[in-house]
């Protein structure tokens, strides 16, 4: 037993190595990122990136317009309208189902009886 | 062969042990290659399969009702409020690993508010919309569907924040109990997020005004930056455990969920940064939504809060004040081993949170 324990396990050593590496990198990153300098640099980069993204989007939008093609935002608007129509259809369908359920004797409060008690009270139920 | 020669050639126990390990390592390496190919060839795992009905939908809002799995159910229905940053299938990963399925089998009537990505025209959605419009609307639908006046609300992370705000703004009911998981209350202690959104450098107005909604990629990156080495270490761990089907299945489910965040509505994000992150108004009792002051002392219904010992997203110090701040007499906090996600889903949650939640809810759901 003692001999088995002392036998080196390369897989366990590898796991330990990965775990230590992960811990070390995460701690180092946390220290680095938890500083004013990092926060300032990150936010500058975010602002620059969003500004560039916006300008690029506008440029591509103008280009697509000259080609008489819809832009991504226009396609998204169409998709949103379709989604809104789907939602309305679903709402109407759900209302019809509820009406049908009410006519058939279902409706609010249908389903299994709401009489279950917690197992400790020992009065009823007790699936747990 | 003499006895001495036989003894000399007989392998020692250490040699046998090493031999077995090498053999196991070779077998696993072979399995890794075979299953590794399967991994790349197989489709992503299907999640959220517990039978349910979409009973209400409006833009980003979806309200699901799960079909009962018990012949007798508790009187008070449960309404889960999912975090706005992620999809709700974390509550319903797979059969046997689904909190929803577990609760259904224990006899609860379960409803879940899940979110779609907000559309471009939903960039104006605000904290007021979520707290004073979406949640009340869903509560009404649950009341209508169940025929019960009382509803228990269960919120996870930002879903917990919204639930707390709702409970504080609706002190007269119909909320019966409030259960929260890893809910940030003291935003001073959201250390890294607070640092990154430092008001001296973070131009939240410019970001929201430029982008409309905050893209999911930005949300994903900010979560990843909290532990930048963890994804790579996880992939190494996956490779090492490629022979283990259960590990691979579990890894794929969690990986899919964590890489599938949602964008945030612009106005909601702006308010979260300004009112909560910068001003810490929820903790101070200074938050006002549509003229209603959100005072946690107004929450008098029973409150349960499960927090994670190793939560790197919502540190314990950020979630701790909930129990102290609510006005309820019947209140309970449990600190569980695990992280922000493993506290609600996965093997740890099955053993720890789920039975604790069932026990707490059962007594208060009749």
């Amino acid at each position: 037993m003692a001999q088995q324990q002392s036998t080196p396990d390369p897989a366990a050593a590898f796991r330990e190595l990965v775990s230590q590496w992960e811990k070390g990198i995460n701690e180092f990153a946390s220290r680095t990122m938890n500083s004013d300098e990092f926060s300032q640099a990150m936010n500058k980069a975010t602002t620059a990136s969003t500004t560039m993204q916006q300008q690029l989007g506008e440029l591509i939008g103008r280009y697509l317009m000259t080609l008489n093609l819809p832009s991504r935002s226009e396609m998204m608007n169409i998709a949103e309208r379709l989604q809104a129509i789907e939602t309305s259809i679903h709402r109407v369908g759900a209302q019809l189902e509820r009406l049908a359920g009410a006519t058939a004797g279902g409706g609010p409060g249908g389903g299994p009886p709401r009489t279950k008690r917690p197992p400790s009270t020992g009065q009823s139920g007790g699936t747990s | 062969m003499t006895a001495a020669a036989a003894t000399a050639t007989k392998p020692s126990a250490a040699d046998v042990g090493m031999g077995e390990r090498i053999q196991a390592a070779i077998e696993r390496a072979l399995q890794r290659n075979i299953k590794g190919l399967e991994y790349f060839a197989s489709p992503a795992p299907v999640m959220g399969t517990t039978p349910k009905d979409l009973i209400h939908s409006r833009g980003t809002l979806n309200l699901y009702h799960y079909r009962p799995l018990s012949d007798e159910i508790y009187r008070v229905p449960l309404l889960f409020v999912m975090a706005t940053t992620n999809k709700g299938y974390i509550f319903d990963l797979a059969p046997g690993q689904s909190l929803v399925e577990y609760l259904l089998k224990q006899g609860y009537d379960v409803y879940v508010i899940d979110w779609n990505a907000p559309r471009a025209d939903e960039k104006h959605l605000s904290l007021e919309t979520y707290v004073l419009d979406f949640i009340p609307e869903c509560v009404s639908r649950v009341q209508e569907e169940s025929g019960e006046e009382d509803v228990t609300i269960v919120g996870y992370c930002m879903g917990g924040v919204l639930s707390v705000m709702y409970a504080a703004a609706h002190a007269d009911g119909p909320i019966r109990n409030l259960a929260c998981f890893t809910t940030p209350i003291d935003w001073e202690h959201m250390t890294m997020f607070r640092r990154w959104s430092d008001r001296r450098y973070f131009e939240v107005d410019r970001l929201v005004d430029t982008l409309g909604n905050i893209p999911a990629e930005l949300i994903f990156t900010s979560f990843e930056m909290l532990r930048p080495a963890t994804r790579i270490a996880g992939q190494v761990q996956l490779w090492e455990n490629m022979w283990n089907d259960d590990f691979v299945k579990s890894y794929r489910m969690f990986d899919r969920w964590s890489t599938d965040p949602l964008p945030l509505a612009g106005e909601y994000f702006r308010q979260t940064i300004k009112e909560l992150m910068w001003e810490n108004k929820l903790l101070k009792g200074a938050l006002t939504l549509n003229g209603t002051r959100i005072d946690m002392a107004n929450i008098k219904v029973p409150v349960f809060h499960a927090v994670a010992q190793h939560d790197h997203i919502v540190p314990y110090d950020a979630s701790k004040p909930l129990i102290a701040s609510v006005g309820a007499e019947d209140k309970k906090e449990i600190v569980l081993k695990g992280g922000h996600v493993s506290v609600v889903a996965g093997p740890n949650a099955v053993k720890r949170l789920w039975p604790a939640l069932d026990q707490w809810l059962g007594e208060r759901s009749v």
Side-chain angles (χ1 to χ4, degrees):
Chain A
M1 183 73 186
Q3 265 185 326
Q4 270 198 340
Q5 277 174 351
S6 62
T7 310
D9 178 358
F14 177 69
R15 277 195 294 274
E16 180 60 22
L17 188 74
V18 172
S19 168
Q20 290 300 321
W21 173 83
E22 179 191 359
K23 200 175 159 199
I25 295 282
N26 282 342
E27 279 174 3
F28 173 75
S30 288
R31 276 197 306 275
T32 310
M33 292 188 287
N34 195 8
S35 67
D36 265 8
E37 293 74 22
F38 181 85
S39 179
Q40 198 170 7
M42 188 182 87
N43 285 304
K44 269 186 186 165
T46 308
T47 306
S49 155
T50 47
T51 309
M52 205 166 73
Q53 195 182 337
Q54 188 191 27
Q55 286 171 349
L56 191 67
E58 283 170 6
L59 192 74
I60 292 173
R62 282 201 293 273
Y63 179 65
L64 288 170
M65 202 165 69
T66 56
L67 294 175
N68 202 22
L69 287 171
S71 67
R72 185 170 180 272
S73 63
E74 284 166 337
M75 290 302 290
M76 279 174 69
N77 281 340
I78 294 170
E80 280 162 12
R81 280 166 181 264
L82 280 174
Q83 199 181 5
I85 294 167
E86 276 178 6
T87 306
S88 301
I89 292 171
H90 179 84
R91 200 177 296 140
V92 172
Q95 279 168 353
L96 283 173
E97 273 177 26
R98 271 205 302 281
L99 279 173
T103 312
R114 296 178 175 271
T115 48
K116 187 173 168 67
R117 316 286 300 178
S120 55
T121 64
Q123 288 178 28
S124 168
T127 53
S128 55
Chain B
M1 190 186 286
T2 64
T7 311
T9 53
K10 191 180 168 190
S12 67
D15 289 340
V16 172
M18 179 60 91
E20 282 171 358
R21 280 192 177 156
I22 290 171
Q23 193 181 351
I26 291 169
E27 278 169 16
R28 284 182 181 179
L30 285 171
Q31 285 294 311
R32 253 182 230 124
N33 289 334
I34 296 164
K35 289 182 185 288
L37 284 173
E38 284 173 12
Y39 177 87
F40 288 110
S42 61
V46 179
M47 291 179 277
T49 56
T50 305
K52 61 181 184 287
D53 299 297
L54 178 67
I55 60 166
H56 181 59
S57 174
R58 178 155 68 102
T60 185
L61 168 74
N62 282 328
L63 174 63
Y64 292 101
H65 181 207
Y66 284 83
R67 295 180 191 165
L69 294 176
S70 175
D71 295 335
E72 188 185 24
I73 57 176
Y74 287 107
R75 183 183 67 80
V76 182
L78 307 180
L79 172 61
F80 277 73
V81 183
M82 182 53 199
T84 42
T85 46
N86 291 86
K87 302 266 178 71
Y89 58 81
I90 191 66
F91 296 139
D92 186 24
L93 285 180
Q97 292 190 51
S98 160
L99 172 57
V100 166
E101 180 200 56
Y102 172 81
L103 291 171
L104 291 170
K105 285 184 175 170
Q106 298 304 111
Y108 294 92
D109 187 17
V110 181
Y111 297 78
V112 173
I113 294 180
D114 195 9
W115 310 104
N116 293 320
R119 303 184 308 240
D121 65 338
E122 289 179 307
K123 65 181 181 184
H124 63 276
L125 298 181
S126 59
L127 277 174
E128 284 84 349
T129 322
Y130 284 86
V131 175
L132 303 176
D133 188 359
F134 285 156
I135 297 182
E137 191 172 278
C138 289
V139 168
S140 298
R141 287 293 293 115
V142 171
Q143 288 174 313
E144 204 178 299
E145 190 82 7
S146 64
E148 290 295 330
E149 181 63 24
D150 294 338
V151 177
T152 290
I153 294 195
V154 185
Y156 176 35
C157 189
M158 261 318 272
V161 174
L162 300 175
S163 304
V164 166
M165 291 178 185
Y166 168 81
H170 297 80
D172 299 330
I175 187 168
R176 172 74 177 81
N177 307 291
L178 174 66
C180 294
F181 312 144
T182 63
T183 295
I185 298 297
D186 185 354
W187 292 67
E188 290 259 356
H189 288 101
M190 297 288 281
T191 338
M192 294 302 274
F193 287 126
R194 196 172 164 83
R195 170 68 76 179
W196 298 337
S197 61
D198 189 319
R199 68 171 84 200
R200 290 171 296 169
Y201 314 120
F202 185 45
E203 298 181 72
V204 64
D205 288 329
R206 184 169 174 168
L207 190 72
V208 171
D209 294 343
T210 306
L211 298 176
N213 291 331
I214 302 303
E217 296 77 30
L218 206 65
I219 309 294
F220 176 71
T221 307
S222 61
F223 284 137
E224 287 288 288
M225 276 170 60
L226 291 170
R227 292 212 172 148
T230 298
R231 175 156 296 275
I232 299 168
Q235 284 165 350
V236 173
Q237 219 179 3
L238 170 67
W239 173 80
E240 208 210 326
N241 287 283
M242 197 61 94
W243 55 274
N244 182 342
D245 290 336
D246 288 340
F247 182 93
V248 173
K249 188 182 168 198
S250 177
Y251 176 90
R252 293 189 80 171
M253 287 191 301
F254 280 100
D255 185 61
R256 188 184 152 199
W257 181 79
S258 63
T259 54
D260 187 22
L262 289 168
L264 290 176
E267 206 54 46
Y268 168 81
F269 179 77
R270 192 194 321 254
Q271 273 178 301
T272 304
I273 294 294
K274 289 187 174 178
E275 310 270 301
L276 302 179
M277 194 71 84
W278 289 354
E279 303 291 343
N280 210 5
K281 282 187 176 176
L282 178 61
L283 180 74
K284 293 174 182 167
L287 183 67
T288 303
L289 300 178
N290 274 2
T292 304
R293 188 168 150 256
I294 304 299
D295 182 357
M296 288 185 285
N298 288 339
I299 302 175
K300 303 280 201 252
V301 297
V303 178
F304 172 93
H305 193 196
V307 295
Q309 214 170 29
H310 305 291
D311 194 332
H312 69 292
I313 295 174
V314 180
Y316 177 55
D317 285 339
S319 54
K320 190 169 59 175
L322 175 61
I323 290 297
S325 306
V326 295
E329 285 178 13
D330 177 4
K331 51 189 175 179
K332 181 180 185 178
E333 179 192 83
I334 56 167
V335 183
L336 300 167
K337 278 188 181 175
H340 190 72
V341 181
S342 65
V343 80
V344 295
N348 282 341
V350 175
K351 280 185 292 186
R352 295 176 183 137
L353 175 66
W354 299 4
L357 180 68
D358 172 38
Q359 193 183 5
W360 189 86
L361 284 174
E363 294 162 6
R364 293 162 181 83
S365 298
V366 290

